[in-house]
Amino acid sequence: MSFMAGSFFDAIPKGDVLLLKWILHDWDDVHCRQILAKLRDAMLFESSDGVRRSPSRLLIIEQAVPEDDDFSEAAQSARANLNDLYLWVLYGGRERKVSDYAALIEAEGLQLEAVTQ
């Protein structure tokens, strides 16, 4: 396992498993799609001996807001709303629902396989 720093908008190193943790919520939809497109390209590659590798796995760790906008607990609602405002003002990003993430992922030719909460 190795960790590499760099820009998502430049080349992304190829690997068997790629991990994004608290990244996509910092960006608007256009930039999220650019990041996911770069990751998709890094997931499909040939090994040094020219053999085509099977696609890698992309693991995304993000906080998702409820699908039905029902924040039953005041603390959860206040935190999510404050986080959303903070991300929007500073970065142009936002908190998203799982369905929002799925739409971004699928728009770049990737498939959402599982969600764990």
Side-chain angles (χ1 to χ4, degrees), residues 20 22 57-65 67 96-99 101 105 112-117:
L20 290 180
W22 300 331
R57 292 265 181 193
L58 173 60
L59 306 177
I60 300 174
I61 300 173
E62 291 285 351
Q63 173 180 310
V65 294
E67 288 291 330
R96 293 177 173 85
K97 300 174 184 178
V98 171
S99 60
Y101 285 113
I105 290 164
L112 178 63
E113 289 187 7
V115 175
T116 302
Q117 298 182 353

Side-chain angles (χ1 to χ4, degrees), residues 6-112:
S7 170
F8 295 112
F9 304 105
D10 296 331
I12 295 178
K14 298 171 183 352
D16 295 324
V17 178
L18 303 172
L19 172 67
L20 290 180
K21 183 176 179 185
W22 300 331
I23 300 297
L24 296 178
H25 73 164
D26 288 341
W27 299 95
D28 60 30
D29 289 354
V30 171
H31 287 97
C32 282
R33 290 190 59 187
Q34 290 173 354
I35 292 167
L36 290 166
K38 288 286 188 181
L39 288 162
R40 180 201 58 225
D41 294 344
M43 293 170 69
L44 302 170
F45 64 95
E46 293 181 2
S47 61
S48 58
D49 59 2
V51 176
R52 184 160 175 83
R53 302 274 312 250
S54 50
S56 305
R57 292 265 181 193
L58 173 60
L59 306 177
I60 300 174
I61 300 173
E62 291 285 351
Q63 173 180 310
V65 294
E67 288 291 330
D68 57 6
D69 293 323
D70 178 23
F71 292 92
S72 56
E73 298 179 29
Q76 182 182 13
S77 178
R79 179 174 178 224
N81 289 335
L82 184 58
N83 232 10
D84 202 25
L85 180 62
Y86 170 79
L87 291 168
W88 177 68
V89 169
L90 293 180
Y91 305 110
R94 66 185 178 96
E95 298 294 0
R96 293 177 173 85
K97 300 174 184 178
V98 171
S99 60
D100 296 329
Y101 285 113
L104 288 170
I105 290 164
E106 291 167 6
E108 292 311 315
L110 299 169
Q111 181 180 354
L112 178 63

